[in-house]
Amino acid sequence: MEETNKNVLGDCFTSAMALTESGVPHVPTRYILPPSQRPVLSPSIGTGSINLPVIDLSFLHDPLLRPSVIHEIEMACKEFGFFQVTNHGISSSVVKDALDAATRFFDLPADEKMLLVSDDVHTPVRYGTSINHSTDSVHYWRDFIKHYSHPLSKWIDLWPSNPPCYKEKVGKYSEATHVLHKQLMEAISESLGLEKSYLQEEIEEGSQVMAVNCYPACPEPEIALGMPPHSDFSSLTILLQSSQGLQIKDKNNNWVCVPYIEGALIVQLGDQVEVMSNGVYKSVVHRVTVNKDVNRLSFASLHSLPMNKKISPAPQLVNEEKPAAYGDFSFNDFLEYISRNDLTKQRFIDTVKKNKF
């Protein structure tokens, strides 16, 4: 049955990479966005009018300077739900190797990648295009491979065997981002007035999904997107990008281009932190633009509590003046939701808000 399903998928599957390589002069109709959803690609949008936070994490390890870094993180979380980090402890060689492995994977022949294709969101390792090419009403100019990554020993044998370097190089990056995520969650908990060890055990035993994305050069980037506006289900997403393309929505509902900073990583708050903070912090709505000239790669490392562990507002952040504004939810609840609903129509976080504010 599974083999039959893959054959059916193969019959209707055309990757964004294949379209780029074929030299199509226009994007196929299924990729064309309604005019109101099309991006504005002027380089001056956002980058000249707003300073997005960049935080040096090396000071987190200095007891005298840690409080000022925690304050920076608090301000960034309140204002944007987003920040970039430098001196994050992941070496440039580990980052470069991960990007190299991803490049080699997406350069594989189509039939090799098709061995991993699936439209089942529960599959632990799956290759695909758009968001879910079987159900998307509008398609997005993106190919991806997603795989569970923590604990690494449980999942790595299911990862691609080709290219031969993939498991080692992406494995090292996955382990490094898991360590970084723990440090960031300690700092974010502190910034909320919680113990830095809040949810420590759940975070250590939590889920990590690595979404490795390829956004090929697109002939008409002004009428298409790599990813639609959305927020992530995770506690945090740690994003590595090879070039600029990410945009975030600010408090005034304007799209802001996130600059590419050599050596930096992007931290995005997800729905789990919004719920944990009882709405003090908000998950960041973001989208991905594409361009005519280069293939853009990104690694989105999505960290969450264990699959069936429910997240709810921290009791310390709930009182008579500020009652719990959210119900609880798990990663599995999110997967069930996206298997039945179109994420471009309603954000998952809106379904767990008690008062639809």
Side-chain angles (χ1 to χ4, degrees):
M1 184 68 186
E2 184 177 339
E3 194 58 46
T4 304
N5 187 40
K6 282 191 176 179
N7 290 338
V8 171
L9 286 176
D11 290 342
C12 66
F13 185 102
T14 305
S15 70
M17 181 78 96
L19 290 169
T20 296
E21 289 174 345
S22 72
V24 291
H26 303 287
V27 299
T29 305
R30 65 183 179 275
Y31 291 93
I32 298 174
L33 292 163
S36 63
Q37 296 174 26
R38 295 176 188 176
V40 178
L41 297 177
S42 165
S44 64
I45 296 293
T47 51
S49 59
I50 197 162
N51 287 321
L52 296 174
V54 181
I55 298 173
D56 184 341
L57 291 187
S58 62
F59 299 131
L60 267 184
H61 310 292
D62 183 326
L64 292 176
L65 297 174
R66 184 177 175 91
S68 67
V69 182
I70 299 295
H71 179 68
E72 281 186 73
I73 288 172
E74 179 189 0
M75 292 298 100
C77 290
K78 280 183 174 171
E79 182 66 22
F80 297 106
F82 161 98
F83 50 97
Q84 297 206 58
V85 292
T86 58
N87 293 315
H88 42 67
I90 302 179
S91 73
S92 58
S93 62
V94 168
V95 166
K96 182 175 173 295
D97 282 352
L99 290 169
D100 174 64
T103 300
R104 290 168 185 259
F105 174 80
F106 288 112
D107 283 345
L108 288 172
D111 57 353
E112 179 85 21
K113 292 178 284 193
M114 287 300 292
L115 296 172
L116 296 166
V117 76
S118 175
D119 60 359
D120 180 357
V121 298
H122 296 277
T123 303
V125 179
R126 66 187 181 102
Y127 167 67
T129 191
S130 190
I131 298 174
N132 189 327
H133 71 276
S134 296
T135 57
D136 292 341
S137 53
V138 175
H139 283 235
Y140 297 92
W141 200 263
R142 163 211 189 214
D143 298 340
F144 65 86
I145 180 164
K146 288 184 179 182
H147 42 67
Y148 293 149
S149 302
H150 181 76
L152 193 62
S153 59
K154 180 178 179 180
W155 301 113
I156 196 167
D157 288 344
L158 300 175
W159 288 12
S161 298
N162 247 344
C165 66
Y166 188 91
K167 290 179 182 177
E168 180 189 357
K169 289 182 173 180
V170 178
K172 283 183 178 174
Y173 179 73
S174 297
E175 288 185 312
T177 50
H178 178 71
V179 172
L180 177 58
H181 169 250
K182 288 193 292 183
Q183 294 172 356
L184 288 167
M185 282 303 294
E186 286 182 357
I188 286 168
S189 294
E190 270 188 73
S191 74
L192 287 164
L194 303 169
E195 292 291 327
K196 74 175 187 178
S197 59
Y198 185 74
L199 294 180
Q200 187 173 45
E201 187 177 325
E202 291 88 343
I203 289 165
E204 178 52 48
E205 295 173 0
S207 170
Q208 178 182 9
V209 176
M210 190 66 75
V212 187
N213 304 301
C214 177
Y215 303 97
C218 176
E220 295 179 290
E222 66 281 358
I223 61 172
L225 281 172
M227 282 285 279
H230 68 286
S231 61
D232 295 334
F233 70 88
S234 53
S235 54
L236 297 181
T237 299
I238 297 171
L239 185 79
L240 162 65
Q241 58 175 355
S242 64
S243 56
Q244 187 168 303
L246 180 69
Q247 294 184 337
I248 65 168
K249 189 173 269 194
D250 69 13
K251 283 185 171 180
N252 299 315
N253 281 330
N254 295 318
W255 288 107
V256 180
C257 296
V258 175
Y260 172 74
I261 300 175
E262 181 78 36
L265 293 172
I266 291 165
V267 180
Q268 297 172 172
L269 299 195
D271 294 344
Q272 289 191 351
V273 161
E274 178 169 336
V275 169
M276 180 188 86
S277 74
N278 201 27
V280 175
Y281 298 161
K282 299 291 196 292
S283 54
V284 63
V285 175
H286 53 287
R287 69 182 184 183
V288 179
T289 60
V290 287
N291 71 85
K292 275 188 172 179
D293 303 314
V294 296
N295 293 355
R296 176 177 175 269
L297 295 173
S298 74
F299 278 74
S301 186
L302 296 107
H303 301 263
S304 66
L305 301 194
M307 178 72 73
N308 294 302
K309 179 71 178 178
K310 301 275 190 182
I311 186 89
S312 56
Q316 300 90 321
L317 302 177
V318 175
N319 54 46
E320 282 186 26
E321 279 111 44
K322 180 84 172 166
Y326 304 81
D328 56 12
F329 81 93
S330 68
F331 177 20
N332 195 56
D333 294 334
F334 170 78
L335 290 177
E336 289 297 325
Y337 178 82
I338 62 168
S339 67
R340 296 191 308 271
N341 296 276
D342 182 349
L343 272 183
T344 64
K345 301 285 192 293
Q346 183 183 32
R347 291 173 62 201
F348 173 72
I349 187 73
D350 292 335
T351 69
V352 298
K353 290 176 179 174
K354 290 190 172 180
N355 302 308
K356 309 300 182 187
F357 53 81

